[in-house]
Amino acid sequence: KERISIKETIEKTLSIFHSAMKNNNITIVSNIKDDFYIDGFQNQLIQAIINILNNSKDAFNDNEIKERFIFIESQNVLNKQIITIKDNAGGIKDEIIHKIFEPYFTTKHKSIGTGIGLSMVHQIVTKHHNATIEVENETYEYEQNKYVGACFKIEFEK
């Protein structure tokens, strides 16, 4: 493990994901309120965030969403350091949201998805970074428009 900057990790992730964002007309709204440092594996964390971003990209395409936003934020709140990633792709169906971190669970056709992406994200966050990850659907406003999407929250202990 090494001491890594969350701000730098997010910036590297967005740099890697830039082409996919551009090719899929996704606007990233980055709000890095607080930089913080954790002991971890930067490449693993980048991979975890990319998996979340890729799922948003797929949801935009599956649901034929025209205006596509992904919001990524970092902040210190009390004794937690938090990364939040949310989109406006319509959210995750209530009947499956509790299963999405299970290995081999997928909503995609077998030729497209293996169901290990979000399971791997969960492993990276919880086992390798002593953090928690949760997801919920959220309704929010951005630029006077109402949106619904999945919101992933990763919390690191200070």
Side-chain angles (χ1 to χ4, degrees):
K1 285 189 174 182
E2 60 184 345
R3 199 95 178 120
I4 56 174
S5 156
I6 290 301
K7 179 180 181 183
E8 180 186 307
T9 302
I10 291 170
E11 286 170 353
K12 280 185 178 181
T13 305
L14 296 179
S15 172
I16 292 167
F17 198 68
H18 180 77
S19 299
M21 292 182 309
K22 196 172 175 185
N23 294 339
N24 288 278
N25 299 312
I26 298 170
T27 301
I28 298 281
V29 181
S30 179
N31 185 11
I32 309 305
K33 290 181 183 170
D34 300 308
D35 188 15
F36 53 86
Y37 292 82
I38 63 163
D39 291 325
F41 304 97
Q42 187 176 54
N43 289 339
Q44 284 187 4
L45 216 45
I46 288 170
Q47 185 61 56
I49 295 169
I50 284 176
N51 275 332
I52 294 170
L53 297 175
N54 270 325
N55 279 345
S56 290
K57 175 183 64 87
D58 292 344
F60 287 132
N61 292 332
D62 292 347
N63 297 320
E64 299 179 11
I65 306 288
K66 300 285 182 259
E67 253 189 323
R68 301 170 176 206
F69 296 106
I70 296 175
F71 300 84
I72 189 162
E73 180 176 290
S74 73
Q75 60 184 334
N76 283 305
V77 179
L78 300 172
N79 62 338
K80 304 267 187 214
Q81 297 167 309
I82 303 170
I83 298 173
T84 307
I85 303 165
K86 69 181 174 186
D87 61 37
N88 67 317
I92 301 165
K93 291 179 182 159
D94 290 338
E95 60 268 18
I96 65 165
I97 197 165
H98 66 283
K99 295 181 180 181
I100 66 166
F101 294 120
E102 291 177 10
Y104 309 111
F105 177 78
T106 183
T107 59
K108 298 173 183 147
H109 189 274
K110 283 183 174 33
S111 65
I112 300 170
T114 60
I116 59 169
L118 288 176
S119 173
M120 188 174 76
V121 168
H122 189 270
Q123 288 280 335
I124 289 170
V125 169
T126 61
K127 302 270 191 282
H128 299 242
H129 292 89
N130 195 28
T132 60
I133 183 167
E134 52 188 51
V135 63
E136 63 184 12
N137 291 322
E138 196 174 287
T139 302
Y140 59 93
E141 265 188 50
Y142 177 68
E143 294 183 342
Q144 286 85 44
N145 292 311
K146 244 189 184 147
Y147 297 108
V148 175
C151 179
F152 288 83
K153 188 190 302 187
I154 302 170
E155 290 187 6
F156 302 91
E157 295 289 331
K158 276 190 182 175

